[in-house]
Amino acid sequence: AAAVRDNRAAIRSGTLAQKLVQLTLPGVPDTYQGACQLNLTLVDPDNRREVDFHRLAHMLDEVRTGRLDDLDAEKLRLTTAILHLRREETWAFVSPEAGYAPLALSSGHALAFQRSDSTGPRVVVVATRLPRELEDIGGWTDQSVVLPEGPWVDIVSGRTHGDGARRIATLLGNDPVVVLHRADHR
């Protein structure tokens, strides 16, 4: 219990970053039933295990109304938002023209890349890396990432950001990850 309490921020960051990267990197994500929730087992998930779909449906209703009370719900909110984005931006994720390119960063404590289609960049992903070490050096301070031509909308918070060099702290707010969607939706 003490270890979980002392590492709560790092656990949150790692959990959300892992799901974000899994669902946005090139390829088809290997997902498991119920994997939109926390899995505190010491073995890989197993699709043969029962999933409490009633609980998941209730959680999804709570997430849709903005009532988040734990990391489980936060992970579900992020997973749902990314899956909706993947459906909307199919050509940037699963098509012959889908593209991936890393973004320029001034920090080794973040991972950032874009997903694109024939029209250019459509999605930007930024995830915190090594959150404990980041905390030890005083946080993001003036660290930045260079966003492609925009504007960009955070798919979870709805905040809009411009293009060019942007402070990572501003993009993330209180979250360890962010997914940005090009504002000029087709």
Side-chain angles (χ1 to χ4, degrees), residues 13-182:
S13 180
T15 298
L16 296 177
Q18 179 182 17
K19 183 51 69 176
L20 170 77
V21 169
Q22 175 200 25
L23 294 175
T24 57
L25 278 176
V28 178
D30 187 12
T31 58
Y32 294 91
Q33 294 184 127
C36 48
Q37 300 174 275
L38 294 177
N39 181 2
L40 302 178
T41 61
L42 297 176
V43 297
D44 288 339
D46 185 341
N47 271 344
R48 295 171 295 181
R49 201 173 1 184
E50 288 188 35
V51 176
D52 186 347
F53 290 106
H54 179 71
R55 178 176 179 266
L56 276 177
H58 177 72
M59 281 182 63
L60 190 55
D61 287 342
E62 294 293 307
V63 165
R64 287 181 179 141
T65 60
R67 292 189 298 263
L68 298 175
D69 59 357
D70 61 10
L71 184 55
D72 225 12
E74 193 172 9
K75 184 178 177 187
L76 180 61
R77 176 180 71 169
L78 179 66
T79 300
T80 302
I82 294 171
L83 292 177
H84 283 278
L85 178 66
R86 285 182 66 96
R87 182 176 56 206
E88 183 175 340
E89 291 291 349
T90 303
W91 289 99
F93 286 101
V94 185
S95 76
E97 64 186 49
Y100 162 89
L103 297 177
L105 291 161
S106 66
S107 174
H109 290 94
L111 168 72
F113 58 89
Q114 70 181 31
R115 297 304 309 266
S116 59
D117 63 16
S118 64
T119 67
R122 303 300 306 162
V123 176
V124 166
V125 172
V126 180
T128 301
R129 296 181 62 243
L130 309 169
R132 295 293 298 259
E133 290 84 354
L134 178 64
E135 185 180 319
D136 291 345
I137 63 168
W140 291 113
T141 60
D142 60 351
Q143 302 298 323
S144 63
V145 60
V146 179
L147 299 182
E149 190 174 332
W152 298 93
V153 177
D154 180 331
I155 67 168
V156 173
S157 74
R159 292 182 312 208
T160 302
H161 303 278
D163 52 16
R166 296 287 166 205
R167 292 187 57 181
I168 294 173
T170 302
L171 293 176
L172 295 177
N174 294 322
D175 296 319
V177 300
V178 67
V179 180
L180 305 173
H181 189 198
R182 191 167 182 127

